[in-house]
Amino acid sequence: MSKITLTVIKADVGGSVGHTDVHPELLEIAKEHLKEKGKMLIDFCVTHVGDDLELIMTHKGGVDNKEVHKLAWDALWACAQRAKELKLYGAGQDLLKDSFSGNVKGLGPGVAEMEFEERKSEPVIIFMADKTEPGAWNLPLYKMFADPFNTIGLVIDPSMHQGFKFEVYDMIGHKKIIFETPQEIYDMLVFIGATGRYCVRKVYTKNNEIAAVSSTQRMNFMAGKYIGKDDPVLIVRCQNGLPAVGEALEPFANPHLVAGWMRGSHNGPMIPVSIEDAVPTRFDGPPRVCALGFQLAEGKLIGPQDFFKDVAFNNARKKALEIADYIRSMGPFEPHRLHLEELEYTTFPQVAEKLQGRWEEE
């Protein structure tokens, strides 16, 4: 059986209004482009979370496929041009270059993709976040694949009992390391708890079968200045030796604090919401996460199911809003505002330079 590639590419091509939403016309432009030009695709789904346009595609070209990446780039570029005509906010801000060069990595858009052989039943979840960064997936991925209090399959399913392998990526040092769980959990937590620098990029079974992959692009590092948070995506395969769908969703029942929110400079709770409610307005937030479920059938995307539309996540939403009320009361003080190292691409360097001569030695 030939392998299927599942590719998710996203970008902020222009917000409507401000940083809250994607204009319906941009969604249609992307759909028409993929429909007309995407002959290499098996199937696709165009959606959005907040002001981020999401392209979900299946094909047989493998990861980093130039043809597929160019298709996505051209679709996003066409959307950005229309966004400029509509004077949408930050039009084209995630497209850092004027031309395509091999694949979209390093050009601005976020990418998560994996290649695998379809199983007898192949359920996948596409998690999409707005107003946060790639490290936001660290805690959920840990809970999905390493925490038996979240994923009972680690205890009672013989096919999961041996644990998983985590590929952790250093987004500043551009290095990676593989941790084996459960035996190296404590070592791994030293790093993945530092979500601004280290992120869980991939998870594998002990037999090296891909289980999850996240986008790890840091916009500020690529652009050399603050132009917005990274709004990452995550693909998780489920069932049959992997976390059940409910185990993959369970980490979001207790909202955790993530970096991002207003001007990408604040910590706040990540609220699990439906696509319909993924329109962050309060203080340009709080951060949102959506989860679309698909059954793959010979590469066809059967779905989606909007998982966080479920009333079972109502308490998580209520708790997140209470956390938002509390942490917002701190205004410009840490820990609501990010620590100074994370403000490297805001006004902090300019203010520090301006006042450098006024600091007196004691």
Side-chain angles (χ1 to χ4, degrees):
M1 180 185 293
S2 61
K3 291 185 175 182
I4 296 294
T5 307
L6 176 56
T7 298
V8 183
I9 296 178
K10 53 70 58 181
D12 181 349
V13 292
S16 176
V17 173
H19 289 295
T20 63
D21 205 350
V22 172
H23 194 283
E25 194 172 329
L26 303 190
L27 295 171
E28 289 305 314
I29 290 172
K31 289 176 185 177
E32 286 302 312
H33 186 90
L34 296 190
K35 184 177 180 180
E36 292 178 10
K37 307 291 186 180
K39 305 303 181 185
M40 76 295 291
L41 300 182
I42 300 172
D43 203 357
F44 69 86
C45 174
V46 175
T47 185
H48 78 99
V49 173
D51 58 355
D52 288 285
L53 188 62
E54 318 274 348
L55 310 178
I56 303 168
M57 302 168 286
T58 57
H59 54 95
K60 293 187 177 182
V63 299
D64 292 331
N65 182 273
K66 181 176 181 179
E67 194 177 3
V68 173
H69 279 229
K70 187 175 190 309
L71 172 73
W73 174 266
D74 290 344
L76 296 171
W77 187 265
C79 290
Q81 302 318 299
R82 181 57 181 148
K84 291 175 183 177
E85 294 172 357
L86 294 171
K87 294 189 176 182
L88 301 184
Y89 194 79
Q93 73 170 28
D94 281 7
L95 308 183
L96 302 181
K97 304 287 179 65
D98 292 331
S99 60
F100 178 79
S101 57
N103 63 59
V104 299
K105 292 179 180 178
L107 301 183
V111 186
E113 53 185 348
M114 59 168 66
E115 184 182 33
F116 53 88
E117 287 188 7
E118 271 191 26
R119 298 166 293 169
K120 186 176 180 180
S121 181
E122 190 64 62
V124 299
I125 303 176
I126 312 298
F127 293 96
M128 302 163 289
D130 187 33
K131 304 298 183 285
T132 187
E133 62 183 8
W137 302 131
N138 286 10
L139 178 57
L141 281 169
Y142 170 77
K143 294 179 76 66
M144 288 178 208
F145 290 96
D147 182 3
F149 282 81
N150 180 91
T151 300
I152 190 57
L154 293 165
V155 177
I156 65 175
D157 185 344
S159 61
M160 296 177 65
H161 195 72
Q162 73 276 16
F164 292 88
K165 298 196 294 187
F166 285 67
E167 180 184 303
V168 175
Y169 180 61
D170 180 347
M171 293 178 284
I172 296 176
H174 305 293
K175 298 178 291 186
K176 68 177 181 180
I177 185 173
I178 304 292
F179 289 103
E180 301 236 0
T181 63
Q183 58 268 42
E184 294 185 304
I185 280 178
Y186 297 159
D187 290 344
M188 182 175 73
L189 286 172
V190 170
F191 295 95
I192 68 172
T195 56
R197 174 163 183 170
Y198 299 96
C199 68
V200 178
R201 185 161 64 178
K202 296 177 184 176
V203 180
Y204 296 92
T205 68
K206 290 295 178 69
N207 294 324
N208 295 317
E209 182 79 10
I210 189 68
V213 62
S214 70
S215 61
T216 57
Q217 292 74 28
R218 286 296 302 265
M219 289 290 294
N220 299 344
F221 296 160
M222 288 188 285
K225 61 181 179 179
Y226 176 73
I227 57 173
K229 270 300 178 188
D230 314 289
D231 307 327
V233 290
L234 168 68
I235 304 171
V236 177
R237 298 172 71 196
C238 299
Q239 309 290 159
N240 191 27
L242 300 172
V245 166
E247 291 170 332
L249 297 172
E250 181 65 11
F252 300 95
N254 187 30
H256 62 295
L257 292 174
V258 298
W261 206 341
M262 171 61 74
R263 302 183 188 275
S265 301
H266 295 78
N267 287 306
M270 191 155 74
I271 307 178
V273 296
S274 67
I275 294 292
E276 181 183 359
D277 290 331
V279 184
T281 58
R282 183 187 175 188
F283 203 55
D284 278 359
R288 308 295 162 103
V289 58
C290 293
L292 292 186
F294 297 90
Q295 289 285 159
L296 292 186
E298 305 301 326
K300 290 288 185 179
L301 293 163
I302 311 303
Q305 182 173 349
D306 191 345
F307 282 126
F308 290 147
K309 199 171 184 177
D310 185 3
V311 296
F313 289 94
N314 283 352
N315 283 350
R317 289 186 272 272
K318 183 174 183 292
K319 186 174 183 178
L321 294 176
E322 290 172 351
I323 294 170
D325 284 341
Y326 168 72
I327 204 163
R328 274 296 303 125
S329 68
M330 299 178 187
F333 287 85
E334 298 177 11
H336 182 31
R337 194 189 74 181
L338 300 185
H339 54 80
L340 290 181
E341 289 80 3
E342 279 288 297
L343 296 180
E344 181 180 354
Y345 295 100
T346 62
T347 58
F348 172 66
Q350 289 84 6
V351 174
E353 184 178 359
K354 181 179 72 173
L355 299 179
Q356 188 174 9
R358 291 173 55 184
W359 290 93
E360 298 179 8
E361 295 287 346
E362 283 288 328

